[in-house]
């Protein structure tokens, strides 16, 4: 009896390795690091520091593009949160100096 793995015309066991996902082009770890440093300097320390850490981890994952994309996503999320929290804080600071 021939071995069948459910596909028409297939016979015999095959070594099916899941294909690794190619990077989606989510950006550069260096650019994410620069954005994280900018967020940190503009007053949002916690999201900025998290972004720096995630960017540094992404930089160390050159051999694993899937992991690099995952940590770049975390870094970008931290940057977005920092910007969204920083804009109202900056507006309140500048409104206080207005008069």
């Amino acid at each position: 009896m021939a071995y069948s793995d459910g596909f028409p015309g297939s016979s015999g066991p095959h070594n099916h390795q899941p294909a690794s996902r190619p990077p989606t082009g989510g950006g550069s770890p260096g650019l994410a690091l620069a954005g994280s440093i900018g967020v940190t300097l503009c007053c949002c320390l916690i999201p900025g520091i998290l972004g720096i850490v995630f960017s540094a981890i992404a930089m160390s994952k050159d051999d694993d593009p899937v992991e690099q994309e995952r940590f770049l996503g975390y870094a970008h999320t931290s940057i977005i949160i920092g910007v969204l929290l920083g804009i109202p804080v900056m507006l309140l600071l500048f409104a206080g100096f207005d008069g």
Side-chain angles (χ1 to χ4, degrees):
M1 180 146 82
Y3 176 82
S4 175
D5 58 359
F7 297 108
S10 65
S11 63
H14 299 283
N15 186 10
H16 293 288
Q17 296 283 334
S20 66
R21 196 175 52 164
T24 58
S28 151
L31 188 59
L33 181 63
S36 299
I37 291 171
V39 166
T40 304
L41 294 176
C42 286
C43 81
C44 288
L45 291 176
I46 293 173
I49 290 172
L50 287 173
I52 290 170
V53 169
F54 289 136
S55 299
I57 293 171
M59 285 180 161
S60 71
K61 300 285 184 184
D62 279 340
D63 57 335
D64 190 359
V66 174
E67 286 290 307
Q68 186 178 41
E69 287 292 322
R70 183 174 74 141
F71 284 106
L72 274 176
Y74 294 156
H76 290 150
T77 302
S78 297
I79 292 169
I80 291 169
I81 290 171
V83 168
L84 291 177
L85 290 175
I87 289 173
V89 170
M90 294 298 257
L91 290 174
L92 287 174
L93 285 175
F94 288 129
F97 288 121
D98 196 26

